[in-house]
Amino acid sequence: MKLIILGPPGAGKGTQAQHICNSYNIHHVSVGDMLRDEVGKQTEKGKLIDSYIKKGNLIPDKMITEIMKEKLSSDSCKNGYLLDGFPRTLIQGEELAKFQDIDAVFNINVDDEILAERLTGRRVCLKCKEVDHITKNKEEICKKCGEKLSIRDDDKDADIILNRIQIYHQLTEPLINFYTNKGVLHNVYSGLGASIEVYNQIKEILDGNSKK
Ligand code: AP5
């Protein structure tokens, strides 16, 4: 299975990706985590990437497409994958379509007012990449590996969060039509309910597809 999960920052792409990949045993390609790992290595490339991420801006299309071509041709992706964070512009979508056929795209719909609350309260584990929220984990200790949870740099400033949401509407949203026209887009809805409710919508579609 070659899948994509789309949605604005804070929609729950990473959260759903973890559920899907654990259940269906496919590789989770979190582009944000890959980029943050590169930033952590303090390489020249990492410093350049950091200069975009910390302002909430996108990495240039050419650079991210080269990174993704290399990643998707690696052994880790040969049995299927779920892309979380790529493509994020029409140019990236068109480039991806030149070398990969995608089976399904899940578009998570969430109101903008909910997104900021999710992002300011998000806590992440730098060791095992688990994602949690301050309202569900007041101790701020990772439930999976016991590490102290952290706040992502791009979640610390309200203006940066707003910039990320605006960039989503301007540059990423056109991908919804792009994949609708290809006949692979599925809308799912996330509101104030638990993340398992969103996963159940995705599971129903995936299980339905596999029975066809
Ligand atoms: P990336 O790391 O991909 O960030 P993002 O798209 O902004 O998405 P987030 O990780 O913020 O949110 P999410 O939808 O995964 O939500 P989550 O599951 O964590 O990218 C970071 C940066 O890298 C970009 O800004 C850009 O600079 C660069 N970049 C990445 N890809 C690029 C590309 N292709 N091209 C160019 N640049 C690129 O959930 C959020 C919170 O909500 C959590 O606390 C969670 O516990 C909670 N939550 C989740 N689901 C629910 C629910 N159903 N109900 C209640 N709470 C929930």
Side-chain angles (χ1 to χ4, degrees):
M1 272 195 295
K2 292 178 179 170
L3 308 175
I4 293 175
I5 192 143
L6 277 183
K13 300 182 295 294
T15 304
Q16 294 306 321
Q18 285 176 353
H19 289 311
I20 298 166
C21 293
N22 288 340
S23 302
Y24 293 88
N25 199 21
I26 54 175
H27 186 58
H28 177 193
V29 181
S30 166
V31 182
D33 282 345
M34 282 168 60
L35 295 173
R36 283 183 286 276
D37 284 348
E38 192 65 40
V39 171
K41 288 183 204 155
Q42 294 278 309
T43 57
E44 283 311 306
K45 193 174 168 188
K47 287 179 193 159
L48 180 61
I49 290 170
D50 192 37
S51 68
Y52 291 100
I53 293 186
K54 70 179 175 204
K55 293 186 190 136
N57 292 328
L58 296 184
I59 311 306
D61 286 330
K62 191 168 181 299
M63 184 177 181
I64 199 82
T65 304
E66 277 166 16
I67 293 173
M68 293 310 293
K69 274 187 179 159
E70 192 182 326
K71 176 69 186 172
L72 297 182
S73 56
S74 71
D75 272 359
S76 60
C77 291
K78 71 172 190 268
N79 293 328
Y81 54 74
L82 182 146
L83 294 179
D84 161 12
F86 184 83
R88 232 178 249 255
T89 65
L90 268 182
I91 292 176
Q92 294 177 20
E94 283 159 359
E95 283 300 315
L96 176 67
K98 287 181 191 165
F99 68 101
Q100 297 280 303
D101 286 325
I102 298 299
D103 299 306
V105 177
F106 296 101
N107 177 42
I108 309 181
N109 292 268
V110 192
D111 289 342
D112 279 4
E113 306 82 73
I114 297 178
L115 299 174
E117 188 276 326
R118 285 197 188 170
L119 292 173
T120 48
R122 171 168 54 192
R123 298 293 181 268
V124 293
C125 178
L126 298 180
K127 193 174 168 198
C128 75
K129 317 285 190 207
E130 186 74 354
V131 180
D132 214 325
H133 196 275
I134 188 78
T135 53
K136 292 190 218 142
N137 185 342
K138 295 204 169 38
E139 299 75 31
E140 302 192 37
I141 300 293
C142 178
K143 288 174 188 159
K144 214 164 159 188
C145 75
E147 197 80 357
K148 176 99 186 91
L149 296 176
S150 305
I151 305 177
R152 254 168 59 174
D153 284 346
D154 56 350
D155 286 346
K156 288 178 182 165
D157 182 309
D159 288 337
I160 294 173
I161 289 179
L162 190 63
N163 184 38
R164 288 160 59 202
I165 295 172
Q166 283 169 343
I167 287 177
Y168 165 79
H169 287 304
Q170 193 191 343
L171 297 177
T172 309
E173 227 165 37
L175 285 166
I176 297 173
N177 268 341
F178 179 78
Y179 285 115
T180 302
N181 292 337
K182 287 184 180 294
V184 290
L185 189 107
H186 302 273
N187 278 301
V188 294
Y189 298 88
S190 175
L192 297 173
S195 66
I196 193 71
E197 291 174 19
V198 184
Y199 174 64
N200 286 338
Q201 297 171 51
I202 295 174
K203 186 175 176 344
E204 206 175 309
I205 297 162
L206 279 176
D207 293 348
N209 268 0
S210 65
K211 279 183 201 140
K212 277 180 193 164

